[in-house]
Amino acid sequence: MLQVQENVDIKDYCTIHIGGQFRYFAIIKTKEEITEAIEFARKNNTRLFMLGGGSNIVFTDKVLDVLALKIEIEGFEIIENTDDYAVIKVGAGENWDIFVSRTVVSNLSGLEALSAIPGTVGATPVQNVGAYGQEVKDTIVSIEVFDIQNKVIKTLTNTECKFAYRDSIFKHEDKNKYIILTVTFKLSKKNPEIPHYIDVKKYFIQNNINTPTLLEIRNAIIHIRGYKLPDPKVIFNVGSFFKNPIVSSDVAKKLKNNNPELTIYPIDEDHTKVPAGWLIEKAGLKGKNFGPLSLYNKNALVLVNNGNATYEDIISVRDQIIKTVFDKFGITLEQEPEIIK
Ligand code: EPU
C-alpha cells in the first residue's frame, strides 16, 4: 500500500543538503505501488518525480509541487551464468556500492572501477555513471522501465538508451517518461586489467602489485576516491559539480603544449576532453571559500555546501566559477548535477 507523506524536507534526500520541500513524498518498493502513485498524482493534479540516492541533483528552496518517489525496489538475480560471463538483473533501489562489492567478491569484472560511488543502481544509467575508465554503459545489457503514460512495463536495450559521456535518453527525450525498475548487467569472468589511470597505476606501483585481483582494484579505487572525493555524509557535496568539457582537439593540443603536465583525453580526431578540475585549479579557485559554499581543497571539481547554502547561493557561485574559467581559458564549463526547479 502506497504511503504518501506531505511537505517533506528535500534537504534530507540530496547529498548537497539544499532544497525546500516535496509537496508529496512516497517510498516505492513494488511495481504495484507505482500504479497507485500514478493514480494519486492524477487525483491530486500533481506530477511524479523520481528520486534515487540524491547524490547528483540540486533542488531549489521552493515547495516542489510533485509526488516524489524514492525508489527502493530490491532484487539481485543471476539470470545467466557461463564459464566466461554472468548476467545479473538488479533492482533499481539497491545501493550501488553494495551491488558492486557483491560482483567483486563473486569474481565478476566490469564494475570494480566504479566502486565507492554513492547512489542507487537505478540512477546509474541516467547519467551513464563513469570513473577510472569504466562506464555503466559498457556492461548494461538492458533496462526494465515502467512507462508512466502508457502504464506498461518495457525493456529498453543498451542501444535504445543512447548512452554517451554522462548522458542518456533519460536526461533528454525520455526525461520523466519512465521509472527505472531493474538494470541488467553482463559481467566478465576474465582476469581484470588495471584501469589506465595515472592515480591507479601509481597506487599499484607504490604497493608493489603487478597483477591485482578484482578486490585489490576495488580497494585501490576506494583509497583514491577517499582522498579526492569527500564523504557526502560528512561534507555536503554532489561529487563532480562540472562535467569535463569536450573541446576541439586543436584547442586541447594548444592547452597541452602550453601546459605539458596536463592530461587530456582524446575522444575522436576532432574532439578531446579536458579536466574541469585542472581548469578550475589553474584559474586559481581550488579551495576558494565563497562564503556559504567552497571548492574542496583536495579537488577543485567538488563544490561543498559549508552548511547553510541556498539554491541562489549555489547558482551564483556556479556562475562565478564558469566566468572565471571562461575568462582565463575561453572554455565554458557545464554543471554536472541535474537542477530541479
Ligand atoms: N585535476 C587537477 N586539479 C583538481 C582536480 C583534478 O589538476 O583539483 C587534474 C588531475 O590531476 C588529473 C585530471 O584533472 O590530471 C583529472 O582528474 P581525476 O582523474 O581525478 O578525474 P576528474 O576528471 O576530476 C572524473 C569524473 C569523476 C570520476 C573520476 C575518475 C567527471 C566530471 N568526473 O573526475 O566522476 O570519479 O574522473 O575517473 O567526469 C562524478 O561524476 O561525480 C565523479 C566524481
Side-chain angles (χ1 to χ4, degrees):
M1 245 302 267
L2 188 76
Q3 307 274 334
V4 178
Q5 299 170 46
E6 292 195 35
N7 300 323
V8 167
D9 283 341
I10 291 175
K11 276 191 174 73
D12 301 336
Y13 292 96
C14 66
T15 58
I16 201 157
H17 239 74
I18 294 175
Q21 292 188 318
F22 295 121
R23 176 74 185 88
Y24 302 105
F25 173 92
I27 288 175
I28 297 287
K29 285 190 186 283
T30 64
K31 293 169 192 171
E32 292 68 39
E33 285 169 342
I34 294 176
T35 320
E36 291 177 59
I38 293 172
E39 190 50 24
F40 180 96
R42 194 189 58 78
K43 274 192 188 147
N44 290 277
N45 201 19
T46 189
R47 65 185 170 90
L48 298 181
F49 173 78
M50 275 62 75
L51 189 62
S55 52
N56 197 46
I57 201 158
V58 175
F59 292 95
T60 57
D61 298 311
K62 294 189 301 204
V63 173
L64 281 184
D65 186 12
V66 295
L67 167 57
L69 300 180
K70 182 156 193 303
I71 308 298
E72 292 192 0
I73 296 168
E74 294 173 355
F76 180 97
E77 193 192 340
I78 299 175
I79 54 176
E80 205 185 333
N81 202 356
T82 74
D83 289 344
D84 302 325
Y85 64 85
V87 179
I88 308 178
K89 190 178 193 178
V90 196
E94 293 285 345
N95 173 283
W96 174 255
D97 195 48
I98 293 176
F99 165 56
V100 172
S101 79
R102 260 178 108 167
T103 66
V104 166
V105 295
S106 309
N107 266 320
L108 294 170
S109 80
L111 300 176
E112 63 282 358
L114 302 174
S115 289
I117 293 178
T120 57
V121 168
T124 59
V126 177
Q127 58 146 337
N128 181 24
V129 161
Y132 304 103
Q134 281 176 358
E135 287 182 312
V136 287
K137 78 166 172 58
D138 304 330
T139 44
I140 288 178
V141 177
S142 60
I143 301 183
E144 195 184 21
V145 295
F146 193 99
D147 178 333
I148 296 170
Q149 197 166 18
N150 300 313
K151 295 189 193 151
V152 288
I153 293 175
K154 281 181 28 181
T155 300
L156 304 176
T157 62
N158 178 306
T159 318
E160 283 170 329
C161 296
K162 296 189 189 159
F163 290 120
Y165 169 61
R166 293 293 188 276
D167 213 10
S168 76
I169 51 161
F170 304 109
K171 282 175 81 170
H172 302 286
E173 59 260 45
D174 290 339
K175 198 173 154 82
N176 299 327
K177 184 173 171 191
Y178 299 125
I179 298 177
I180 296 176
L181 303 173
T182 65
V183 186
T184 299
F185 296 88
K186 182 175 174 182
L187 302 171
S188 167
K189 292 187 180 174
K190 285 200 194 115
N191 287 337
E193 275 181 40
I194 297 181
H196 300 294
Y197 257 74
I198 297 162
D199 288 350
V200 188
K201 286 187 198 281
K202 264 195 213 153
Y203 174 96
F204 286 117
I205 291 169
Q206 275 160 11
N207 288 278
N208 254 322
I209 301 173
N210 289 326
T211 47
T213 62
L214 272 181
L215 190 59
E216 283 168 335
I217 296 178
R218 171 169 164 82
N219 288 338
I221 301 291
I222 292 173
H223 178 86
I224 295 162
R225 286 186 70 96
Y227 179 78
K228 289 200 159 178
L229 293 159
D231 179 353
K233 287 192 207 88
V234 185
I235 296 178
F236 303 150
N237 77 94
V238 282
S240 302
F241 198 83
F242 296 97
K243 290 189 205 176
N244 287 336
I246 296 170
V247 300
S248 79
S249 296
D250 289 344
V251 168
K253 270 180 215 149
K254 264 185 217 146
L255 210 57
K256 173 85 182 163
N257 284 341
N258 296 334
N259 304 276
E261 83 286 3
L262 171 66
T263 314
I264 55 175
Y265 310 96
I267 293 183
D268 55 36
E269 217 174 288
D270 301 330
H271 302 91
T272 299
K273 206 157 67 172
V274 291
W278 183 89
L279 296 169
I280 299 169
E281 179 170 344
K282 279 282 166 181
L285 298 178
K286 187 171 184 173
K288 184 173 162 61
N289 194 324
F290 294 89
L293 295 142
S294 50
L295 281 170
Y296 192 48
N297 56 8
K298 292 176 193 154
N299 184 353
L301 204 48
V302 179
L303 192 57
V304 171
N305 172 7
N306 295 334
N308 297 312
T310 62
Y311 173 74
E312 300 287 308
D313 294 332
I314 209 164
I315 296 305
S316 141
V317 170
R318 174 199 69 182
D319 292 346
Q320 281 179 60
I321 297 166
I322 292 175
K323 182 171 185 314
T324 310
V325 169
F326 184 82
D327 290 348
K328 180 147 176 84
F329 295 106
I331 294 175
T332 306
L333 293 182
E334 212 184 299
Q335 83 198 29
E336 203 238 11
E338 193 184 356
I339 289 204
I340 305 293
K341 293 197 248 189

